[in-house]
């Protein structure tokens, strides 16, 4: 079974600075997807960024980028120029790409609560 | 934009009551999911449905059942609510067959069982 580990329960960053959230995962599969989701306080969970394991290039979405290290099974999220609106719980998630029931489900980490200080 | 709605944001029930949590999506998605979210545990999958009338157990199905009679609606049922089912419940949907598609989440229902 796959597992996702977020070792930082809480992080904080000063507005306009850069912060990196860590995520490691364990899987025996070679083909999968990784995601970062953001859950602002009392608001809906939304997708921040996703990475396909077969792509070597790290995904980027505006101020959000990932450092995907497949051999090390590491998938960190970097937030540049942090803004007050980035304050949220961030979840790392894994999904298999293999056929069968397992490719429907997301396996989530326990989350990292990010505080942005003005 | 995909819209996933849940019938209640907050719900308070008593131990032993039968509880229905409703989820509706408006984008014709085949796949729908129910998670519970607890502090320090992240999100855990309860049940999912890959199409109408189809359902599969997730990681923590005990004490729950589901119903998917129509494509847009996925209901989570607590047959006899217990205090350890106090939690935030999140529904999600996803378009089947497009492997890169993400799950879209509803706003959540915070259930308290007294």
């Amino acid at each position: 079974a796959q597992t996702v580990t977020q070792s930082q329960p809480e992080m904080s960053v000063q507005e306009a600075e850069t912060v990196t959230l860590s995520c490691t995962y364990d899987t025996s599969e070679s083909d999968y997807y990784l995601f970062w989701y953001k859950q602002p306080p009392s608001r809906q969970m939304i997708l921040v960024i996703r990475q396909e394991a077969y792509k070597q290039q790290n995904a980027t979405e505006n101020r959000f980028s990932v450092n995907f290290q497949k051999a090390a099974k590491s998938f960190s999220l970097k937030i540049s120029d942090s803004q007050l609106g980035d304050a949220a719980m961030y979840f790392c998630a894994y999904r298999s790409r293999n056929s069968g029931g397992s490719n429907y489900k997301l396996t989530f980490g326990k989350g990292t609560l990010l505080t942005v200080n003005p | 934009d995909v819209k996933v709605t849940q019938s209640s944001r907050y719900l308070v029930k008593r131990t032993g009551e039968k509880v229905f949590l409703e989820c509706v999506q408006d984008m014709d998605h085949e796949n729908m999911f129910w998670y519970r979210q607890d502090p320090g545990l992240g999100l855990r999958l309860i049940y999912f449905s890959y199409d109408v009338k189809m359902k599969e157990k997730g990681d923590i199905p005990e004490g729950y059942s589901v119903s998917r009679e129509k494509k847009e609606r996925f209901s989570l049922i607590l047959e006899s609510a217990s205090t350890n089912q106090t939690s935030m419940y999140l529904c999600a949907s996803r378009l089947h067959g497009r492997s890169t598609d993400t799950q879209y989440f509803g706003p959540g229902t915070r259930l308290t069982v007294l």
Side-chain angles (χ1 to χ4, degrees):
Chain A
Q2 293 81 22
T3 58
V4 177
T5 302
Q6 294 178 249
S7 58
Q8 306 151 317
E10 297 183 24
M11 292 279 286
S12 64
V13 63
Q14 290 296 126
E15 199 175 1
E17 294 191 349
T18 295
V19 64
T20 299
L21 308 184
S22 301
C23 173
T24 58
Y25 57 95
D26 189 23
T27 184
S28 59
E29 298 175 331
S30 60
D31 203 3
Y32 48 86
Y33 298 97
L34 295 164
F35 305 85
W36 279 98
Y37 278 87
K38 169 186 177 181
Q39 187 180 40
S42 302
R43 291 178 61 188
Q44 255 155 292
M45 182 147 1
I46 56 172
L47 178 71
V48 175
I49 199 166
R50 66 171 166 239
Q51 175 81 41
E52 292 149 293
Y54 66 87
K55 289 187 176 178
Q56 292 188 337
Q57 187 173 6
N58 288 325
T60 300
E61 289 286 346
N62 301 315
R63 296 183 295 107
F64 298 86
S65 61
V66 298
N67 183 5
F68 173 48
Q69 301 286 332
K70 191 172 184 179
K73 296 180 182 173
S74 170
F75 182 61
S76 60
L77 175 70
K78 185 171 85 170
I79 307 173
S80 304
D81 185 25
S82 296
Q83 300 175 359
L84 295 176
D86 294 334
M89 181 72 85
Y90 286 82
F91 291 97
C92 179
Y94 169 103
R95 181 161 68 81
S96 171
R97 209 182 162 192
N98 294 328
S99 60
S102 64
N103 71 353
Y104 292 100
K105 59 178 282 188
L106 285 171
T107 299
F108 285 87
K110 294 181 180 180
T112 297
L113 181 63
L114 179 66
T115 302
V116 181
N117 300 311
Chain B
D1 276 355
V2 176
K3 195 165 187 181
V4 181
T5 57
Q6 295 182 228
S7 50
S8 306
R9 290 300 302 270
Y10 300 93
L11 207 54
V12 180
K13 295 292 181 181
R14 297 210 174 270
T15 301
E17 280 193 76
K18 190 168 186 176
V19 181
F20 293 87
L21 303 183
E22 303 284 340
C23 175
V24 177
Q25 49 92 6
D26 66 355
M27 283 302 291
D28 205 34
H29 285 176
E30 289 87 357
N31 304 159
M32 295 187 75
F33 306 82
W34 275 107
Y35 296 89
R36 66 175 282 176
Q37 181 181 6
D38 301 289
L41 296 178
L43 278 76
R44 294 177 292 167
L45 181 65
I46 304 171
Y47 266 97
F48 66 98
S49 168
Y50 46 89
D51 211 337
V52 177
K53 297 190 186 292
M54 310 299 278
K55 60 185 179 185
E56 290 282 342
K57 292 180 180 179
D59 298 318
I60 51 164
E62 296 78 19
Y64 304 94
S65 61
V66 290
S67 173
R68 184 109 181 260
E69 295 297 317
K70 293 185 178 181
K71 194 174 188 179
E72 67 271 19
R73 187 180 298 269
F74 191 35
S75 302
L76 180 69
I77 304 155
L78 287 66
E79 296 289 343
S80 177
S82 63
T83 55
N84 62 13
Q85 293 178 309
T86 292
S87 187
M88 171 72 88
Y89 290 88
L90 296 177
C91 175
S93 74
R94 172 180 165 258
L95 187 65
H96 180 74
R98 289 186 54 186
S99 57
T100 56
D101 264 6
T102 67
Q103 291 187 17
Y104 295 88
F105 285 84
T109 296
R110 187 167 294 281
L111 172 68
T112 302
V113 182
L114 302 176

